[in-house]
Amino acid sequence: MTPDLIRLFRQCTLIELNHAYEELMPVWTGHGKFFCSHAEDYSAGDGNYNCQLSLGDHCGTHVDAPAHFIEGGKTVEQIDARQLIGRGRCLDMSCLAEDSDITVQMIQAWEADKGEIVAGDIVIFRTGYDKRWRCRPHHAGFLQNWPGLSGEGANYLIGKGVTVLGTDAMSLDRYSNDAHPAHFAVLGSDCLIVENLANLEHLPSEFVFMALPLRIKGASASPIRAVALLASPLQAEQNGQGAFSDEVSPRPAETA
């Protein structure tokens, strides 16, 4: 089984779904920022190079554990990592107005066109907001007015057996919804939320999603390395990504 599995992976096309971790990267207001300092360096005569990292657990592309919104909920080391491996379904909602809800009716219309979402699917919403990702001080556009999943939409997907929901925006809930109904619905059902994904424009409606969190005891979230696997080079080429490419597509130059 192991050689067959390795051979299968090598035949797939890998698409990077992460933003790079770097200093001045955008973070939620009040959350811990990302810092990378040189603990040892060749220039200092240390004979090697290694770094010391400091970051909030919701920095960059990450997964929320239930404890983030649910008192007594699972922390990140308690979640089953296998939950973050499965069939991905990418719903393109990039045409939505700013700060609008993704509704049950929109999801059902997508299913009528692309196929039913079933239990175990990992549902990813493409809002297009990953293209607004900028480092500080040019980050304001990414931190405001994104569309998000309604509470009813979250409950509809949970009812179908979906246990992981993701977005390329800063939050699964829309920007102005301070009640966070999608967070409470998803995390309150012992499910997971993935946020700040990237490069979703390269994904078909169906693919393999894989992401693994760090095993941080007591944490409310963890950085992840998220990737999509496409079944064939042809499938990748049809979606604008070269075969066997793991490069992040270039972003526009930063503007003030």
Side-chain angles (χ1 to χ4, degrees):
M1 177 181 177
T2 300
D4 291 340
L5 188 58
I6 292 171
R7 191 177 306 112
L8 180 63
F9 275 113
R10 287 177 175 169
Q11 291 172 350
C12 290
T13 300
L14 184 149
I15 297 180
E16 175 70 65
L17 301 182
N18 267 61
H19 291 286
Y21 282 81
E22 56 185 321
E23 293 194 359
L24 303 181
M25 65 192 289
V27 298
W28 189 276
T29 302
H31 282 198
K33 296 178 173 63
F34 178 83
F35 298 97
C36 178
S37 59
H38 296 183
E40 293 183 301
D41 204 338
Y42 296 109
S43 63
D46 297 316
N48 70 94
Y49 173 62
N50 66 78
C51 298
Q52 181 170 326
L53 305 179
S54 173
L55 70 161
D57 56 0
H58 293 263
C59 263
T61 309
H62 67 274
V63 59
D64 290 352
H68 180 42
F69 267 71
I70 307 301
E71 186 174 3
K74 288 179 182 176
T75 48
V76 78
E77 85 282 8
Q78 296 172 325
I79 66 176
D80 186 346
R82 292 174 297 182
Q83 200 171 340
L84 289 158
I85 302 172
R87 184 174 78 152
R89 308 302 305 277
C90 184
L91 283 65
D92 187 354
M93 299 290 168
S94 59
C95 62
L96 294 184
E98 292 185 346
D99 199 25
S100 58
D101 277 329
I102 299 169
T103 66
V104 173
Q105 292 74 22
M106 293 174 185
I107 297 169
Q108 290 174 333
W110 185 92
E111 288 183 291
D113 181 46
K114 302 294 187 181
E116 185 180 2
I117 294 167
V118 300
D121 281 348
I122 295 171
V123 174
I124 306 296
F125 294 101
R126 179 192 169 210
T127 70
Y129 257 68
D130 63 321
K131 302 310 171 191
R132 303 191 186 197
W133 177 279
R134 300 288 188 279
C135 287
R136 305 191 309 275
H138 309 293
H139 62 304
F142 182 72
L143 296 183
Q144 60 187 354
N145 296 327
W146 60 80
L149 183 62
S150 67
E152 294 80 9
N155 283 317
Y156 171 74
L157 291 169
I158 293 164
K160 293 175 73 71
V162 173
T163 64
V164 179
L165 294 92
T167 178
D168 56 3
M170 180 64 82
S171 174
L172 186 63
D173 288 281
R174 65 175 166 83
Y175 169 70
S176 67
N177 198 336
D178 293 334
H180 307 293
H183 269 75
F184 278 107
V186 175
L187 301 180
S189 299
D190 208 29
C191 299
L192 306 176
I193 295 173
V194 178
E195 293 165 329
N196 293 335
L197 289 162
N199 300 316
L200 301 187
E201 75 276 12
H202 295 301
L203 298 182
S205 59
E206 182 177 338
F207 56 97
V208 174
F209 180 89
M210 298 180 66
L212 294 177
L214 300 177
R215 199 176 180 199
I216 308 171
K217 188 173 183 178
S220 69
S222 170
I224 55 173
R225 186 64 178 267
V227 298
L229 298 177
L230 306 191
S232 67
L234 177 61
Q235 189 182 16
E237 290 164 4
Q238 289 172 342
N239 288 279
Q241 184 94 353
F244 300 97
S245 173
D246 60 357
E247 294 183 358
V248 179
S249 57
R251 298 191 207 102
E254 292 186 353
T255 56

